[in-house]
Amino acid sequence: MNPASFRALARVGPAAALFLVMTACTDDSPPSSSASESAPSQASTAPAATTPTGRTTAMNLRLTLDGHPVAATLNDSPTARDLAAQLPLTLSLRDLNQAEKIADLPRKLSTSGAPEGADPEVGDLAYYAPWNQLATYYRDAPYATGLVILGHMADGGAERLATADEITIEAAP
């Protein structure tokens, strides 16, 4: 590619990325009867990214684990958008099975269109619908029915999570 092509790409690239983000965040589904599902999304205008697991992300988060910041992202699912509508949140964490930290959420999240369950990975943020809990993984855990993956922590977040007693979740600036 010649230098003129690179300059043209540099001018068009940011606009194309913004267009993709804006169209990816559009909800073309029929209106829902649930008030919580119709809450406006607080999605970032930052370009969508793909995590190493191939899960598309739509909103950048800042987690604070016992006073230490950790970057994370939410995917663009209805359940993740419903969590985003509740931010900022500060939650007490409890250990479960020496693999994950769980926290009670203030209200149930929409599971519209969610799969029956999921196989979480280290660093995943998830919603366990049967217990209305946020689940965050610092070790491998098996498939769970009722689990909806919401997003993923940046590298290093899972190690910090293992010893954390409190999490604050907020939209990244």
Side-chain angles (χ1 to χ4, degrees):
M1 199 179 266
N2 66 37
S5 297
F6 278 121
R7 285 191 297 275
L9 185 58
R11 286 190 304 269
V12 175
L18 181 59
F19 175 76
L20 288 173
V21 168
M22 298 303 286
T23 57
C25 293
T26 301
D27 184 9
D28 293 330
S29 61
S32 170
S33 61
S34 169
S36 66
E37 290 178 11
S38 63
S41 173
Q42 295 180 5
S44 165
T45 56
T50 302
T51 65
T53 61
R55 297 172 181 178
T56 302
T57 57
M59 181 179 187
N60 294 324
L61 298 177
R62 180 176 53 218
L63 307 180
T64 305
L65 298 167
D66 287 342
H68 301 282
V70 173
T73 52
L74 286 180
N75 60 38
D76 191 28
S77 68
T79 309
R81 288 191 303 267
D82 203 11
L83 177 68
Q86 295 187 35
L87 300 182
L89 289 172
T90 298
L91 306 166
S92 295
L93 295 170
R94 298 181 310 278
D95 197 80
L96 183 65
N97 299 324
Q98 297 178 344
E100 64 187 281
K101 295 285 182 146
I102 59 172
D104 297 323
L105 291 171
R107 67 170 173 78
K108 289 187 177 271
L109 301 180
S110 165
T111 54
S112 173
E116 182 178 309
D119 187 6
E121 298 177 8
V122 172
D124 275 349
L125 306 173
Y127 175 59
Y128 187 60
W131 295 350
N132 187 44
Q133 291 179 329
L134 177 70
T136 52
Y137 292 86
Y138 62 92
R139 289 204 178 108
D140 286 327
Y143 175 93
T145 300
L147 188 70
V148 180
I149 303 298
L150 301 173
H152 197 79
M153 288 181 277
D155 291 341
E159 292 82 18
R160 200 162 291 285
L161 176 65
T163 59
D165 293 318
E166 183 177 85
I167 187 171
T168 297
I169 310 167
E170 53 196 341

